[in-house]
Amino acid sequence: MKIRKVLAAGMICCISAQLLCACAEQQTESADKIYVGVTCYNRSDTFLEELINAFKDKMSDLEEENLDSVVTIRDAAGSQRTQNDQVRELIDAGCNVLCVNLVDRADPSEIIDLARESDVPIIFFNREPVAEDLQQWDKMYYVGADAKESGVMQGEIAADVILADSQIDRNKDGKIQYVVLEGEPGHQDAIIRTENAVETLRDKGIKLEKLNYGIANWNRAQAQNRMQQLIGQYQNEIELVLANNDDMALGAIDAYKKLNRTEAGMPVFFGIDGTDAGLKAVADSELAGTVYNDKDGQAEAMAKLAAALVTGEGMDEIQFREGKYIYVPYSKVTLENVGDYIKKEEQQSR
Ligand code: GAL
Ligand code: CA
């Protein structure tokens, strides 16, 4: 009887201790709950959409570390004004950290003012603000990648492919006639990628002749259109298409397919991003190569930084450049290693 009483008393003690613990846990949890407000320049952009999906996954992975989060995503659909309004709404709704993919990377001042007034930190991503703007307040960061690195890598892959295959110089004039499909004017990833890809090809000893370029704003349909015009103008002369991203390279391929060109009458195409469709096109040998824009790495860096900014823990584990920048490295994708990338993507989306 005595023993039973002692046991019962012990059990009651245990249960109340557990309840206390749970309560304390709940308290810290609610204090640390991460309310992320994300606004994106345009959700019809393939790479961005894949990056956002990866970010949502990384935020829910944080639950394993007892970090609860609510992620609210807004699409600015190409309007900076809309995006400014969205930031105001997200702050009013109680977001304690913002992830901003600027529409106009040269015009963040209203967003910065709004966030500073309410003391909500900002992680800019993928569209890099001008350095002076980022210096305006210490609670602003940038997560992205180094545009120059992707241009150099695209040039290196293209040089390897061209040097290994004499058929690419179809008219046998010792030069490679090329066109460039460019992203949005003024975007850090457009002009810098083009310049560095071309310069790298030249450094590798490849003689080039630029026929023309087309601006297609990262977009597959626009690239198809521009490419149709370029084919109309240059017929069989085009031997190489350098595209600032995979979607535009795929649009160029669409243009040739529409004209029923056989492989012998087609140039070689190179992209950047390693989107799902881009990787598949490399595996199918339609795209001679691409440069992997590490969306998982970028999404993870954003999620970790968002959590650290809200909880105040883990900031010292993050490695910044100049105290503000996180640049996730690119990597080269060709037929030889594309299988590894496809496998990795499949595992991540599980
Ligand atoms: C680039 C990417 C493009 C496009 C652009 C949008 O980094 O390569 O495909 O998504 O960002 O800002
Ligand atoms: Ca030639």
Side-chain angles (χ1 to χ4, degrees):
M1 188 66 193
K2 225 181 177 180
I3 291 177
R4 245 197 237 160
K5 261 192 189 157
V6 171
L7 270 178
M11 261 163 75
I12 290 168
C13 271
C14 260
I15 291 169
S16 29
Q18 264 172 4
L19 277 175
L20 268 177
C21 280
C23 257
E25 222 169 71
Q26 240 173 26
Q27 259 170 20
T28 52
E29 257 173 31
S30 66
D32 282 352
K33 193 156 178 169
I34 310 161
Y35 294 94
V36 199
V38 184
T39 162
C40 197
Y41 94 103
N42 199 333
R43 282 193 79 179
S44 63
D45 180 299
T46 308
F47 173 74
L48 245 307
E49 191 55 18
E50 291 181 10
L51 173 61
I52 295 285
N53 286 335
F55 177 69
K56 286 194 276 191
D57 290 346
K58 300 290 173 192
M59 286 308 298
S60 48
D61 287 353
L62 289 177
E63 269 168 36
E64 284 163 25
E65 296 167 36
N66 275 335
L67 288 166
D68 279 347
S69 59
V70 178
V71 180
T72 309
I73 298 164
R74 294 282 176 265
D75 179 7
S79 158
Q80 188 57 61
R81 228 206 236 167
T82 305
Q83 186 163 62
N84 297 348
D85 293 342
Q86 288 171 342
V87 166
R88 191 173 294 114
E89 282 162 27
L90 289 165
I91 293 174
D92 288 349
C95 286
N96 48 16
V97 57
L98 292 165
C99 292
V100 178
N101 176 234
L102 284 167
V103 176
D104 181 350
R105 52 185 282 264
D107 188 15
S109 43
E110 195 168 328
I111 289 176
I112 296 175
D113 290 346
L114 288 166
R116 188 160 35 183
E117 274 163 28
S118 308
D119 201 33
V120 179
I122 312 177
I123 302 168
F124 290 103
F125 67 101
N126 168 267
R127 298 162 77 87
E128 186 171 336
V130 190
E132 293 82 66
D133 286 330
L134 219 53
Q135 295 308 327
Q136 280 184 39
W137 183 37
D138 60 350
K139 290 190 179 168
M140 295 195 289
Y141 300 86
Y142 177 71
V143 175
D146 175 12
K148 178 173 177 183
E149 183 184 37
S150 55
V152 169
M153 284 186 176
Q154 189 184 50
E156 285 171 353
I157 304 173
D160 288 347
V161 170
I162 291 166
L163 291 171
D165 182 359
S166 61
Q167 302 298 318
I168 291 173
D169 178 15
R170 272 205 311 270
N171 65 352
K172 305 276 175 259
D173 67 347
K175 288 186 276 186
I176 301 297
Q177 279 71 25
Y178 75 100
V179 300
V180 186
L181 289 171
E182 291 191 351
E184 292 161 277
H187 191 299
Q188 83 277 351
D189 288 337
I191 210 86
I192 299 177
R193 282 179 180 169
T194 305
E195 276 174 9
N196 285 283
V198 170
E199 206 177 290
T200 304
L201 276 161
R202 290 222 166 92
D203 289 349
K204 296 264 175 187
I206 291 162
K207 295 215 164 46
L208 293 171
E209 183 187 348
K210 181 172 183 173
L211 296 176
N212 212 331
Y213 71 100
I215 292 174
N217 300 307
W218 312 119
N219 181 281
R220 184 166 178 163
Q222 285 184 39
Q224 178 180 339
N225 238 314
R226 283 300 287 134
M227 198 66 220
Q228 270 164 356
Q229 291 166 356
L230 291 165
I231 300 169
Q233 205 172 343
Y234 298 100
Q235 299 297 324
N236 285 338
E237 277 179 68
I238 305 165
E239 295 170 340
L240 161 69
V241 177
L242 293 173
N244 286 166
N245 78 344
D246 284 355
D247 256 18
M248 294 191 293
L250 294 169
I253 296 170
D254 293 339
Y256 279 93
K257 281 188 181 162
K258 215 173 165 191
L259 294 169
N260 288 323
R261 293 293 164 105
T262 58
E263 218 171 281
M266 281 223 219
V268 276
F269 305 87
F270 295 90
I272 292 177
D273 275 347
T275 57
D276 295 345
L279 293 178
K280 184 174 181 300
V282 175
D284 294 345
S285 298
E286 291 188 331
L287 208 56
T290 188
V291 178
Y292 192 67
N293 194 356
D294 187 355
K295 54 178 174 265
D296 271 299
Q298 291 166 32
E300 193 172 346
M302 288 163 65
K304 278 203 174 134
L305 181 53
L309 288 167
V310 173
T311 61
E313 274 164 37
M315 272 312 261
D316 42 351
E317 285 157 32
I318 302 177
Q319 292 200 341
F320 295 102
R321 247 195 246 180
E322 293 163 41
K324 282 181 174 293
Y325 294 86
I326 301 176
Y327 290 118
V328 179
Y330 284 101
S331 53
K332 297 186 211 175
V333 186
T334 58
L335 189 58
E336 282 75 55
N337 66 356
V338 69
D340 300 341
Y341 285 83
I342 293 176
K343 233 182 268 159
K344 201 182 122 202
E345 297 287 306
E346 280 168 1
Q347 277 163 3
Q348 250 134 12
S349 59
R350 240 174 246 156

